[in-house]
Amino acid sequence: MNKAIETPGARTIGAFALAVVFGGANFVGVRFSNGELDPFWGAGLRFSLAALTFVVIAFALRLPWPRGKLLALTAAYGLLSFGLFYALMYWALQRVTAGMATVVMAMVPLVTVLLTWGQRLEPLRRSALVGAAVAMAGIVWMTLGEGSVDLPLTGLLAMLAAAVTVGESVILGKKVSANHPAMTNAVAMVVGAGSLLALSSVAGERWLLPSQPEVVWSLVYLVTLGSVGLFVLMLLVVRRWTASATSYAFVLFPVVTMLLEAWLADEPLTLRGVTGALIVMAGVWFGALAPSARHSAPPPAAAPAPAEVH
């Protein structure tokens, strides 16, 4: 295994932290966006504008467009990352609480570990499994609160499918990360946005532009930092780190969301929320960030090299 991937440097850790901030803030941005825009249309509009931005950047830099196998993998990455995942999550959020959706984010590292092991891309490490379980326990403690949870079967199945979808998209992101991030996202977001707009049309949603100032600013954020910034950072991180370790960003997103909601929406921090956040951070550290977790794993049996992808 490449040493830079096994032992990420300060820049990679910094990019990871910034991606966590941008990703966590997305939940707040989507909350404002959904106040005026229909969900599939709002997501499709967001990624259409982000795709246009990446296409302009790709042409300005005169980047070569992917061909053959790389093009197919990039299109599949876009369909999973920006199309299917967001379709499943938006659909599920009509049936379950935001807290349960947050728990799905906590499941992503565990799902990714199992997927990479099943595809023989990474070994199955005990520290990764334990760390994912601890982090998920922290999210459950932080978001569910006391009392029973009414979880429809259809919503549960949609969330589980979303967790598998985003886990596999992280693996595909690893396979296409050798290409320039701007070009990768230009192709991927065109595919994802197209699928979301098609779904919005089938669902009969209204295609309206935002008029409320808070919705306009939330859309600006979601397109720029929440899409362009976030997904460039994620591809840069997964290029230099393992797919399973990169997926731990999804565990930390809810922590950032909780803090931003306390600041922007005047929702008070609770003891349950603070202790849950500490448990999450402990699980992420043990599973992906601690030196023992990064150095203990032997090389994977069959890791795809960038030359093979091209």
Side-chain angles (χ1 to χ4, degrees):
M1 181 182 293
N2 188 300
K3 187 176 181 181
I5 296 176
E6 190 175 320
T7 309
R11 290 185 179 181
T12 303
I13 295 295
F16 176 83
L18 198 57
V20 167
V21 173
F22 289 168
N26 276 354
F27 287 88
V28 180
V30 170
R31 177 179 178 182
F32 283 106
S33 176
N34 283 344
E36 183 178 5
L37 304 178
D38 289 333
F40 298 146
W41 161 241
L45 177 61
R46 165 190 172 183
F47 287 117
S48 295
L49 295 173
L52 179 61
T53 302
F54 277 119
V55 169
V56 171
I57 294 173
F59 274 112
L61 296 178
R62 297 183 178 180
L63 299 174
W65 289 84
R67 299 175 182 273
K69 182 179 179 181
L70 181 59
L71 177 60
L73 287 173
T74 305
Y77 168 72
L79 185 62
L80 289 179
S81 296
F82 309 117
L84 184 57
F85 170 68
Y86 279 92
L88 286 167
M89 285 303 298
Y90 274 106
W91 187 84
L93 282 170
Q94 296 176 329
R95 291 159 175 78
V96 301
T97 65
M100 284 307 303
T102 308
V103 174
V104 172
M105 294 298 99
M107 294 171 59
V108 170
L110 179 58
V111 172
T112 306
V113 167
L114 296 175
L115 287 173
T116 54
W117 170 68
Q119 297 172 43
R120 302 186 65 187
L121 298 175
E122 296 177 18
L124 187 61
R125 295 181 290 109
R126 182 186 302 175
S127 60
L129 287 174
V130 174
V134 171
M136 183 177 174
I139 294 292
V140 172
W141 172 262
M142 183 171 60
T143 59
L144 295 188
E146 300 177 357
S148 60
V149 178
D150 183 14
L151 182 59
L153 179 60
T154 55
L156 174 60
L157 293 176
M159 290 189 300
L160 290 175
V164 174
T165 298
V166 75
E168 186 62 32
S169 75
V170 173
I171 297 172
L172 283 176
K174 179 72 174 176
K175 294 181 178 181
V176 301
S177 63
N179 202 18
H180 195 286
M183 180 54 72
T184 298
N185 280 305
V187 175
M189 285 191 181
V190 166
V191 174
S195 62
L196 286 167
L197 292 177
L199 180 60
S200 175
S201 178
V202 171
E205 293 183 342
R206 300 170 302 163
W207 288 23
L208 304 174
L209 294 178
S211 58
Q212 301 174 12
E214 62 272 19
V215 178
V216 172
W217 282 111
S218 68
L219 182 61
V220 169
Y221 169 81
L222 289 170
V223 170
T224 55
L225 298 181
S227 294
V228 176
L230 172 62
F231 293 108
V232 166
L233 288 170
M234 290 295 285
L235 285 174
L236 290 175
V237 171
V238 78
R239 178 189 294 179
R240 296 172 173 83
W241 213 355
T242 62
S244 55
T246 302
S247 70
Y248 271 81
F250 293 92
V251 178
L252 291 173
F253 286 165
V255 177
V256 175
T257 303
M258 179 184 67
L259 295 175
L260 285 176
E261 283 184 334
W263 177 37
L264 297 176
D266 294 326
E267 295 187 8
L269 290 174
T270 64
L271 179 60
R272 177 180 291 272
V274 173
T275 54
L278 292 176
I279 295 172
V280 168
M281 288 184 236
V284 171
W285 173 261
F286 183 79
L289 304 177
S292 59
R294 298 199 302 260
H295 292 290
S296 61
E308 296 176 354
V309 175
H310 287 285

